[in-house]
Amino acid sequence: MVEQSVTADTVLQCCRDSAGKWLQDLWLFDQYKGEGIPNGFRSIGLAFVLQAQDRTLTDKEVDSVMDKVITNLDTRVGGRLRES
């Protein structure tokens, strides 16, 4: 989730900057405001394609990239994971 004032382009750029060399593709597939989302915020659904050219990435490697993305979203734009 991010504040409504944060643009989707800003979120996408932050993710690109954070994901590193394995990021092959990234796109926004959903935005939601409403029940379960605090006023002034919106939920943004993102899809990542991470791929090494020479091997299969491990779960640990993918988790590490995603942890970095989440941390940087929090630091740079105040983004946070939406709780289920």
Side-chain angles (χ1 to χ4, degrees):
M1 290 185 302
V2 294
E3 290 185 13
Q4 288 180 3
S5 62
V6 177
T7 67
D9 285 340
T10 299
V11 172
L12 290 168
Q13 189 59 53
C14 180
C15 291
R16 283 187 198 98
D17 293 346
S18 306
K21 64 183 178 182
W22 294 322
L23 182 66
Q24 299 298 312
D25 202 0
L26 169 66
W27 66 94
L28 184 147
F29 66 84
D30 188 34
Q31 294 189 68
Y32 173 74
K33 294 184 281 185
E35 187 176 335
I37 305 298
N39 283 341
F41 285 81
R42 71 182 190 282
S43 176
I44 296 178
L46 302 170
F48 292 77
V49 176
L50 300 173
Q51 180 180 16
Q53 297 303 312
D54 59 341
R55 63 189 172 80
T56 300
L57 296 173
T58 66
D59 288 345
K60 185 176 180 178
E61 290 169 323
V62 172
D63 289 346
S64 176
V65 169
M66 296 313 298
D67 286 345
K68 184 176 179 184
V69 168
I70 292 165
T71 297
N72 284 338
L73 282 170
D74 178 34
T75 301
R76 289 174 55 183
V77 299
R80 62 179 188 244
L81 285 178
R82 181 176 159 191
E83 296 185 23
S84 304

Coordinates of all heavy atoms in Angstrom, one line a residue:
M1 N 0.8 -1.2 0.0 CA 0.0 0.0 0.0 C 0.9 1.2 0.0 O 2.0 1.2 0.6 CB -0.9 0.0 1.2 CG -2.0 -1.0 1.3 SD -3.1 -0.8 2.7 CE -1.9 -0.9 4.1
V2 N 0.4 2.2 -0.7 CA 1.1 3.5 -0.7 C 0.0 4.6 -0.5 O -1.1 4.4 -0.8 CB 1.9 3.8 -2.0 CG1 3.0 2.8 -2.1 CG2 1.0 3.7 -3.2
E3 N 0.5 5.8 -0.1 CA -0.4 7.0 -0.1 C -0.9 7.3 -1.5 O -0.1 7.1 -2.5 CB 0.3 8.2 0.5 CG 0.6 8.0 2.0 CD 1.2 9.3 2.6 OE1 1.2 10.3 2.0 OE2 1.7 9.1 3.8
Q4 N -2.1 7.8 -1.6 CA -2.6 8.1 -2.9 C -1.8 9.1 -3.7 O -1.8 9.1 -4.9 CB -4.1 8.6 -2.8 CG -5.0 7.5 -2.4 CD -6.5 8.0 -2.2 OE1 -6.8 9.1 -2.5 NE2 -7.3 7.1 -1.8
S5 N -1.1 9.9 -3.0 CA -0.3 10.9 -3.7 C 1.0 10.3 -4.4 O 1.6 11.0 -5.2 CB 0.2 12.0 -2.7 OG 1.0 11.4 -1.7
V6 N 1.4 9.1 -4.0 CA 2.5 8.5 -4.7 C 2.1 7.9 -6.0 O 1.1 7.1 -6.1 CB 3.1 7.4 -3.8 CG1 4.2 6.7 -4.4 CG2 3.5 7.9 -2.4
T7 N 2.7 8.3 -7.1 CA 2.4 7.8 -8.4 C 2.8 6.3 -8.6 O 3.8 5.9 -8.0 CB 3.0 8.7 -9.5 OG1 4.4 8.5 -9.5 CG2 2.6 10.1 -9.3
A8 N 2.1 5.7 -9.5 CA 2.4 4.3 -9.8 C 3.8 4.3 -10.5 O 4.6 3.4 -10.3 CB 1.4 3.7 -10.8
D9 N 4.1 5.3 -11.3 CA 5.5 5.4 -11.9 C 6.6 5.4 -10.9 O 7.6 4.8 -11.0 CB 5.5 6.6 -12.9 CG 4.8 6.3 -14.2 OD1 4.5 5.2 -14.5 OD2 4.5 7.3 -14.8
T10 N 6.3 6.2 -9.8 CA 7.3 6.3 -8.7 C 7.5 4.9 -8.1 O 8.7 4.5 -7.8 CB 6.9 7.3 -7.7 OG1 6.8 8.6 -8.3 CG2 7.8 7.4 -6.5
V11 N 6.4 4.2 -7.8 CA 6.5 2.9 -7.2 C 7.3 1.9 -8.2 O 8.2 1.2 -7.7 CB 5.1 2.3 -6.9 CG1 5.2 0.9 -6.5 CG2 4.5 3.2 -5.8
L12 N 6.9 1.9 -9.4 CA 7.6 1.1 -10.4 C 9.1 1.4 -10.5 O 9.9 0.4 -10.5 CB 6.9 1.2 -11.8 CG 5.5 0.6 -11.9 CD1 4.9 1.0 -13.2 CD2 5.6 -1.0 -11.7
Q13 N 9.4 2.6 -10.5 CA 10.9 3.0 -10.6 C 11.6 2.6 -9.4 O 12.7 2.1 -9.5 CB 11.0 4.5 -10.9 CG 12.5 4.9 -11.2 CD 13.0 4.2 -12.4 OE1 12.4 4.2 -13.5 NE2 14.1 3.5 -12.3
C14 N 11.0 2.7 -8.2 CA 11.7 2.3 -7.0 C 11.9 0.8 -7.0 O 13.0 0.3 -6.6 CB 10.8 2.6 -5.8 SG 11.5 2.2 -4.2
C15 N 10.9 0.0 -7.5 CA 11.1 -1.4 -7.7 C 12.2 -1.8 -8.6 O 13.0 -2.7 -8.4 CB 9.8 -2.1 -8.1 SG 8.5 -2.0 -6.9
R16 N 12.2 -1.1 -9.8 CA 13.3 -1.3 -10.8 C 14.7 -1.0 -10.2 O 15.6 -1.8 -10.3 CB 13.1 -0.5 -12.0 CG 12.0 -1.0 -12.9 CD 12.0 -0.1 -14.2 NE 10.7 -0.3 -14.9 CZ 9.7 0.5 -14.8 NH1 9.7 1.6 -14.1 NH2 8.5 0.2 -15.4
D17 N 14.8 0.0 -9.4 CA 16.1 0.4 -8.8 C 16.5 -0.6 -7.8 O 17.7 -0.8 -7.6 CB 15.9 1.8 -8.2 CG 15.7 2.9 -9.2 OD1 15.9 2.7 -10.4 OD2 15.4 4.0 -8.7
S18 N 15.5 -1.2 -7.1 CA 15.8 -2.1 -6.0 C 16.1 -3.6 -6.4 O 16.8 -4.3 -5.8 CB 14.7 -2.1 -5.0 OG 14.4 -0.8 -4.6
A19 N 15.4 -4.0 -7.5 CA 15.4 -5.4 -7.8 C 16.7 -6.0 -8.4 O 17.0 -7.2 -8.3 CB 14.2 -5.7 -8.8
G20 N 17.5 -5.1 -9.0 CA 18.8 -5.6 -9.5 C 18.8 -6.3 -10.8 O 17.8 -6.2 -11.6
K21 N 19.9 -7.0 -11.1 CA 20.2 -7.5 -12.4 C 19.3 -8.7 -12.8 O 19.2 -8.9 -14.0 CB 21.6 -8.0 -12.4 CG 21.9 -9.2 -11.5 CD 23.3 -9.6 -11.5 CE 23.6 -10.8 -10.5 NZ 25.0 -11.2 -10.5
W22 N 18.6 -9.3 -11.9 CA 17.7 -10.4 -12.3 C 16.3 -10.0 -12.8 O 15.5 -10.8 -13.2 CB 17.6 -11.4 -11.2 CG 18.9 -12.1 -10.9 CD1 19.8 -12.5 -11.8 CD2 19.3 -12.5 -9.6 NE1 20.8 -13.1 -11.1 CE2 20.6 -13.1 -9.8 CE3 18.8 -12.4 -8.3 CZ2 21.3 -13.6 -8.7 CZ3 19.6 -12.9 -7.3 CH2 20.8 -13.5 -7.5
L23 N 16.0 -8.7 -12.6 CA 14.7 -8.2 -13.0 C 14.6 -8.2 -14.5 O 15.3 -7.5 -15.2 CB 14.4 -6.8 -12.5 CG 13.0 -6.2 -12.8 CD1 11.9 -7.0 -12.1 CD2 13.0 -4.8 -12.4
Q24 N 13.7 -9.0 -15.1 CA 13.4 -9.1 -16.5 C 12.2 -8.3 -16.9 O 12.2 -7.8 -18.0 CB 13.3 -10.6 -17.0 CG 14.5 -11.4 -16.7 CD 15.7 -10.9 -17.4 OE1 15.7 -10.7 -18.6 NE2 16.8 -10.8 -16.7
D25 N 11.2 -8.3 -16.0 CA 10.0 -7.6 -16.4 C 9.3 -7.2 -15.1 O 9.4 -7.9 -14.0 CB 9.1 -8.4 -17.2 CG 8.1 -7.6 -18.0 OD1 8.1 -6.4 -17.9 OD2 7.3 -8.3 -18.8
L26 N 8.5 -6.1 -15.1 CA 7.8 -5.6 -14.0 C 6.6 -4.9 -14.5 O 6.7 -4.1 -15.4 CB 8.7 -4.7 -13.2 CG 8.0 -3.8 -12.1 CD1 7.5 -4.7 -11.0 CD2 9.0 -2.8 -11.5
W27 N 5.4 -5.2 -14.0 CA 4.2 -4.4 -14.4 C 3.2 -4.3 -13.2 O 3.2 -5.1 -12.3 CB 3.6 -5.0 -15.6 CG 3.0 -6.4 -15.5 CD1 1.7 -6.7 -15.2 CD2 3.7 -7.6 -15.6 NE1 1.5 -8.1 -15.1 CE2 2.7 -8.7 -15.4 CE3 5.0 -8.0 -15.9 CZ2 3.1 -10.0 -15.5 CZ3 5.3 -9.3 -16.0 CH2 4.3 -10.3 -15.7
L28 N 2.4 -3.3 -13.3 CA 1.3 -3.1 -12.4 C 0.1 -3.8 -12.9 O -0.3 -3.5 -14.1 CB 1.1 -1.6 -12.2 CG 0.0 -1.1 -11.2 CD1 0.5 0.2 -10.6 CD2 -1.3 -1.0 -11.8
F29 N -0.5 -4.6 -12.1 CA -1.7 -5.3 -12.6 C -3.0 -5.0 -11.9 O -4.1 -5.4 -12.3 CB -1.5 -6.9 -12.6 CG -1.4 -7.5 -11.2 CD1 -2.5 -7.8 -10.4 CD2 -0.1 -7.7 -10.7 CE1 -2.3 -8.3 -9.2 CE2 0.0 -8.2 -9.4 CZ -1.1 -8.6 -8.7
D30 N -2.9 -4.2 -10.8 CA -4.1 -3.9 -10.1 C -3.9 -2.7 -9.1 O -2.8 -2.5 -8.6 CB -4.6 -5.1 -9.2 CG -5.9 -4.9 -8.6 OD1 -6.8 -4.2 -9.2 OD2 -6.2 -5.4 -7.5
Q31 N -4.9 -1.8 -9.0 CA -4.9 -0.8 -8.0 C -6.3 -0.9 -7.3 O -7.3 -1.0 -8.0 CB -4.8 0.6 -8.6 CG -3.4 0.8 -9.2 CD -3.2 2.2 -9.7 OE1 -3.1 3.1 -8.8 NE2 -3.1 2.5 -10.9
Y32 N -6.3 -0.7 -6.0 CA -7.6 -0.8 -5.3 C -7.6 0.2 -4.1 O -6.7 0.3 -3.4 CB -7.7 -2.3 -4.7 CG -8.9 -2.4 -3.8 CD1 -10.2 -2.5 -4.3 CD2 -8.7 -2.5 -2.4 CE1 -11.2 -2.7 -3.4 CE2 -9.8 -2.7 -1.6 CZ -11.1 -2.8 -2.1 OH -12.1 -2.9 -1.2
K33 N -8.8 0.8 -4.0 CA -9.1 1.7 -2.9 C -10.4 1.2 -2.4 O -11.3 0.9 -3.2 CB -9.2 3.1 -3.3 CG -7.9 3.8 -3.7 CD -8.0 5.2 -4.0 CE -8.7 5.4 -5.4 NZ -8.7 6.8 -5.8
G34 N -10.6 1.1 -1.1 CA -11.9 0.7 -0.6 C -11.8 -0.1 0.7 O -10.8 0.2 1.5
E35 N -12.7 -0.9 0.9 CA -12.8 -1.7 2.1 C -11.4 -2.4 2.4 O -10.8 -3.0 1.6 CB -13.9 -2.8 2.0 CG -14.1 -3.5 3.3 CD -15.3 -4.5 3.2 OE1 -16.2 -4.3 2.4 OE2 -15.3 -5.4 4.0
G36 N -11.0 -2.2 3.7 CA -9.7 -2.8 4.1 C -8.5 -2.0 3.8 O -7.4 -2.3 4.3
I37 N -8.6 -0.9 3.1 CA -7.5 0.0 2.8 C -7.8 1.3 3.6 O -8.8 1.9 3.5 CB -7.4 0.3 1.3 CG1 -7.3 -1.0 0.5 CG2 -6.2 1.2 1.0 CD1 -6.1 -1.9 0.8
P38 N -6.8 1.8 4.4 CA -6.9 3.0 5.1 C -7.2 4.2 4.2 O -6.7 4.2 3.1 CB -5.6 3.2 5.8 CG -5.0 1.9 5.9 CD -5.5 1.2 4.6
N39 N -8.0 5.2 4.7 CA -8.2 6.4 3.9 C -6.9 7.0 3.5 O -6.0 7.1 4.3 CB -9.1 7.4 4.7 CG -10.5 7.0 4.8 OD1 -11.0 6.2 3.9 ND2 -11.2 7.5 5.7
G40 N -6.8 7.5 2.3 CA -5.6 8.2 1.8 C -4.6 7.3 1.2 O -3.6 7.7 0.8
F41 N -4.9 6.0 1.2 CA -4.0 5.0 0.7 C -4.7 4.2 -0.4 O -5.9 4.2 -0.6 CB -3.6 4.0 1.8 CG -2.6 4.5 2.7 CD1 -3.0 5.3 3.8 CD2 -1.2 4.3 2.6 CE1 -2.1 5.8 4.7 CE2 -0.3 4.8 3.5 CZ -0.8 5.6 4.6
R42 N -3.8 3.5 -1.2 CA -4.3 2.6 -2.2 C -3.4 1.4 -2.3 O -2.2 1.5 -2.0 CB -4.5 3.2 -3.6 CG -3.2 3.5 -4.3 CD -3.6 4.2 -5.7 NE -2.5 4.3 -6.5 CZ -1.5 5.2 -6.4 NH1 -1.5 6.1 -5.5 NH2 -0.5 5.3 -7.3
S43 N -4.0 0.2 -2.6 CA -3.2 -1.0 -2.8 C -2.8 -1.1 -4.2 O -3.6 -0.9 -5.1 CB -4.0 -2.2 -2.3 OG -3.3 -3.4 -2.6
I44 N -1.5 -1.4 -4.5 CA -1.0 -1.6 -5.8 C -0.5 -3.0 -6.0 O 0.3 -3.4 -5.2 CB 0.1 -0.6 -6.1 CG1 -0.5 0.8 -6.1 CG2 0.7 -0.9 -7.5 CD1 0.6 1.9 -6.3
G45 N -1.0 -3.8 -6.9 CA -0.5 -5.1 -7.2 C 0.5 -5.1 -8.3 O 0.3 -4.5 -9.4
L46 N 1.7 -5.7 -8.0 CA 2.8 -5.7 -8.9 C 3.2 -7.1 -9.3 O 3.2 -8.0 -8.4 CB 4.0 -4.9 -8.3 CG 3.8 -3.5 -7.9 CD1 5.0 -3.0 -7.1 CD2 3.6 -2.6 -9.1
A47 N 3.6 -7.3 -10.5 CA 4.1 -8.6 -10.9 C 5.6 -8.5 -11.3 O 5.9 -7.5 -12.0 CB 3.3 -9.1 -12.1
F48 N 6.4 -9.3 -10.8 CA 7.8 -9.3 -11.1 C 8.2 -10.6 -11.8 O 7.8 -11.7 -11.5 CB 8.7 -9.3 -9.8 CG 8.6 -8.1 -9.0 CD1 7.4 -7.8 -8.2 CD2 9.6 -7.2 -9.0 CE1 7.4 -6.7 -7.4 CE2 9.5 -6.0 -8.2 CZ 8.4 -5.8 -7.4
V49 N 9.1 -10.5 -12.8 CA 9.7 -11.6 -13.4 C 11.2 -11.5 -13.1 O 11.9 -10.5 -13.6 CB 9.5 -11.7 -15.0 CG1 10.3 -12.8 -15.6 CG2 8.0 -11.8 -15.3
L50 N 11.7 -12.4 -12.3 CA 13.1 -12.5 -12.0 C 13.8 -13.7 -12.6 O 13.2 -14.8 -12.5 CB 13.3 -12.5 -10.5 CG 12.7 -11.4 -9.6 CD1 12.9 -11.7 -8.2 CD2 13.4 -10.1 -10.0
Q51 N 14.9 -13.5 -13.3 CA 15.5 -14.6 -14.0 C 17.0 -14.4 -14.2 O 17.4 -13.3 -14.6 CB 14.8 -14.7 -15.4 CG 15.3 -15.8 -16.3 CD 14.6 -15.9 -17.6 OE1 14.0 -14.9 -18.0 NE2 14.8 -17.0 -18.3
A52 N 17.7 -15.4 -13.9 CA 19.2 -15.4 -14.2 C 19.3 -16.1 -15.6 O 18.6 -17.0 -15.9 CB 20.0 -16.2 -13.2
Q53 N 20.3 -15.6 -16.4 CA 20.4 -16.1 -17.7 C 21.1 -17.5 -17.7 O 20.9 -18.2 -18.7 CB 21.3 -15.1 -18.6 CG 20.6 -13.8 -18.8 CD 19.2 -13.9 -19.4 OE1 19.1 -14.5 -20.4 NE2 18.3 -13.2 -18.8
D54 N 21.8 -17.8 -16.7 CA 22.6 -19.1 -16.7 C 22.1 -20.2 -15.8 O 22.7 -21.2 -15.8 CB 24.1 -18.7 -16.4 CG 24.2 -18.1 -15.1 OD1 23.2 -17.5 -14.5 OD2 25.4 -18.1 -14.5
R55 N 21.1 -19.9 -15.0 CA 20.6 -20.9 -14.0 C 19.3 -20.5 -13.4 O 18.7 -19.4 -13.7 CB 21.6 -21.0 -12.9 CG 21.8 -19.7 -12.1 CD 22.9 -19.8 -11.1 NE 23.2 -18.5 -10.5 CZ 22.5 -18.0 -9.5 NH1 21.5 -18.7 -9.0 NH2 22.7 -16.8 -9.0
T56 N 18.7 -21.4 -12.7 CA 17.5 -21.2 -11.9 C 17.8 -20.5 -10.6 O 18.7 -20.9 -9.9 CB 16.8 -22.5 -11.7 OG1 16.5 -23.1 -12.9 CG2 15.5 -22.3 -10.9
L57 N 17.1 -19.4 -10.3 CA 17.3 -18.7 -9.0 C 16.8 -19.6 -7.9 O 15.8 -20.3 -8.0 CB 16.6 -17.4 -9.1 CG 17.1 -16.4 -10.1 CD1 16.2 -15.2 -10.1 CD2 18.5 -16.0 -9.8
T58 N 17.4 -19.5 -6.8 CA 16.9 -20.2 -5.6 C 15.8 -19.4 -4.9 O 15.8 -18.2 -5.1 CB 18.1 -20.5 -4.6 OG1 18.5 -19.2 -4.1 CG2 19.2 -21.2 -5.2
D59 N 15.1 -20.0 -4.1 CA 14.1 -19.3 -3.3 C 14.7 -18.2 -2.4 O 14.2 -17.1 -2.3 CB 13.3 -20.3 -2.4 CG 12.3 -21.1 -3.1 OD1 12.0 -20.8 -4.3 OD2 11.8 -22.1 -2.6
K60 N 15.9 -18.6 -1.9 CA 16.6 -17.6 -1.0 C 17.0 -16.4 -1.8 O 16.9 -15.3 -1.3 CB 17.8 -18.3 -0.4 CG 18.6 -17.5 0.6 CD 19.7 -18.3 1.2 CE 20.5 -17.4 2.2 NZ 21.5 -18.1 2.9
E61 N 17.5 -16.6 -3.0 CA 17.9 -15.4 -3.8 C 16.7 -14.5 -4.2 O 16.7 -13.3 -4.1 CB 18.5 -15.9 -5.1 CG 19.9 -16.5 -4.9 CD 20.5 -17.2 -6.1 OE1 19.7 -17.8 -6.9 OE2 21.7 -17.1 -6.3
V62 N 15.6 -15.1 -4.5 CA 14.4 -14.4 -4.9 C 13.8 -13.7 -3.6 O 13.5 -12.5 -3.7 CB 13.3 -15.3 -5.5 CG1 12.0 -14.6 -5.6 CG2 13.7 -15.9 -6.8
D63 N 13.8 -14.4 -2.5 CA 13.4 -13.7 -1.2 C 14.3 -12.5 -0.9 O 13.8 -11.5 -0.4 CB 13.4 -14.7 -0.1 CG 12.3 -15.8 -0.2 OD1 11.4 -15.6 -1.0 OD2 12.4 -16.8 0.5
S64 N 15.6 -12.7 -1.1 CA 16.5 -11.6 -0.8 C 16.2 -10.3 -1.7 O 16.2 -9.2 -1.2 CB 17.9 -12.0 -1.1 OG 18.8 -11.0 -0.9
V65 N 15.9 -10.5 -3.0 CA 15.5 -9.4 -3.9 C 14.2 -8.8 -3.4 O 14.2 -7.6 -3.3 CB 15.4 -9.9 -5.3 CG1 14.8 -8.8 -6.2 CG2 16.8 -10.3 -5.9
M66 N 13.3 -9.6 -3.1 CA 12.0 -9.1 -2.7 C 12.0 -8.3 -1.4 O 11.4 -7.3 -1.2 CB 10.9 -10.2 -2.7 CG 10.6 -10.8 -4.1 SD 10.4 -9.6 -5.4 CE 9.0 -8.7 -4.9
D67 N 12.9 -8.8 -0.5 CA 13.1 -8.1 0.8 C 13.7 -6.7 0.6 O 13.3 -5.8 1.2 CB 14.0 -8.9 1.7 CG 13.3 -10.2 2.3 OD1 12.0 -10.2 2.3 OD2 14.0 -11.0 2.9
K68 N 14.6 -6.7 -0.4 CA 15.2 -5.4 -0.7 C 14.2 -4.4 -1.3 O 14.2 -3.3 -1.0 CB 16.4 -5.6 -1.6 CG 17.2 -4.3 -1.9 CD 18.4 -4.6 -2.8 CE 19.1 -3.3 -3.1 NZ 20.2 -3.5 -4.0
V69 N 13.4 -5.0 -2.2 CA 12.3 -4.1 -2.8 C 11.4 -3.6 -1.8 O 11.1 -2.4 -1.7 CB 11.6 -4.9 -3.9 CG1 10.3 -4.2 -4.3 CG2 12.5 -5.3 -5.1
I70 N 10.9 -4.5 -0.9 CA 10.0 -4.0 0.2 C 10.6 -3.0 1.1 O 10.0 -2.0 1.4 CB 9.5 -5.3 1.0 CG1 8.6 -6.2 0.0 CG2 8.8 -4.9 2.2 CD1 8.4 -7.6 0.6
T71 N 11.9 -3.2 1.5 CA 12.6 -2.3 2.3 C 12.7 -0.9 1.7 O 12.4 0.1 2.3 CB 13.9 -2.8 2.7 OG1 13.8 -4.0 3.5 CG2 14.7 -1.8 3.6
N72 N 13.1 -0.9 0.4 CA 13.3 0.3 -0.3 C 12.0 1.1 -0.6 O 11.9 2.3 -0.5 CB 14.0 0.1 -1.6 CG 15.5 -0.1 -1.4 OD1 16.1 0.3 -0.3 ND2 16.2 -0.7 -2.3
L73 N 10.9 0.3 -0.8 CA 9.6 0.9 -1.0 C 9.2 1.6 0.3 O 8.7 2.7 0.3 CB 8.5 -0.1 -1.4 CG 8.5 -0.5 -2.9 CD1 7.6 -1.7 -3.1 CD2 8.1 0.7 -3.8
D74 N 9.4 1.0 1.4 CA 9.1 1.6 2.7 C 9.9 2.9 2.9 O 9.4 3.9 3.3 CB 9.4 0.6 3.8 CG 9.1 1.1 5.2 OD1 8.2 2.0 5.4 OD2 9.8 0.8 6.2
T75 N 11.2 2.8 2.7 CA 12.1 3.9 2.9 C 11.9 5.1 2.0 O 11.8 6.2 2.4 CB 13.6 3.4 2.8 OG1 13.9 2.4 3.7 CG2 14.6 4.6 3.0
R76 N 11.7 4.8 0.7 CA 11.6 5.8 -0.3 C 10.2 6.4 -0.5 O 10.1 7.6 -0.8 CB 12.2 5.3 -1.6 CG 13.7 5.1 -1.6 CD 14.2 4.5 -2.8 NE 13.9 5.2 -4.0 CZ 14.3 4.7 -5.2 NH1 15.0 3.6 -5.3 NH2 14.0 5.4 -6.3
V77 N 9.2 5.6 -0.4 CA 7.9 6.1 -0.7 C 6.8 5.8 0.4 O 5.7 6.0 0.3 CB 7.3 5.6 -2.0 CG1 8.2 6.1 -3.2 CG2 7.1 4.1 -2.1
G78 N 7.3 5.2 1.5 CA 6.4 4.9 2.6 C 5.5 3.7 2.3 O 4.4 3.6 2.9
G79 N 5.9 2.9 1.3 CA 5.0 1.7 1.0 C 5.2 0.6 2.0 O 6.2 0.5 2.7
R80 N 4.1 -0.1 2.1 CA 4.1 -1.3 3.0 C 3.3 -2.4 2.5 O 2.4 -2.2 1.7 CB 3.7 -0.9 4.4 CG 2.3 -0.4 4.5 CD 2.0 0.0 5.9 NE 0.5 0.3 6.1 CZ 0.1 1.5 6.4 NH1 0.9 2.5 6.7 NH2 -1.2 1.7 6.5
L81 N 3.6 -3.6 2.9 CA 2.8 -4.8 2.4 C 1.4 -4.7 3.1 O 1.2 -4.3 4.2 CB 3.5 -6.1 2.9 CG 4.7 -6.5 2.1 CD1 5.2 -7.8 2.7 CD2 4.4 -6.7 0.6
R82 N 0.5 -5.0 2.3 CA -0.9 -5.1 2.7 C -1.1 -6.4 3.5 O -0.8 -7.5 3.0 CB -1.9 -5.0 1.5 CG -3.3 -5.1 1.9 CD -4.1 -4.9 0.6 NE -5.5 -5.4 0.8 CZ -6.3 -5.5 -0.2 NH1 -6.0 -5.3 -1.4 NH2 -7.5 -6.0 0.1
E83 N -1.7 -6.3 4.7 CA -1.9 -7.6 5.4 C -3.2 -8.2 4.9 O -4.2 -7.5 4.6 CB -2.0 -7.2 6.9 CG -0.7 -6.7 7.5 CD -0.8 -6.5 9.0 OE1 -1.6 -7.1 9.6 OE2 0.1 -5.7 9.4
S84 N -3.2 -9.5 4.9 CA -4.3 -10.3 4.4 C -5.5 -10.2 5.3 O -5.4 -10.2 6.4 CB -3.9 -11.8 4.2 OG -2.8 -11.9 3.3

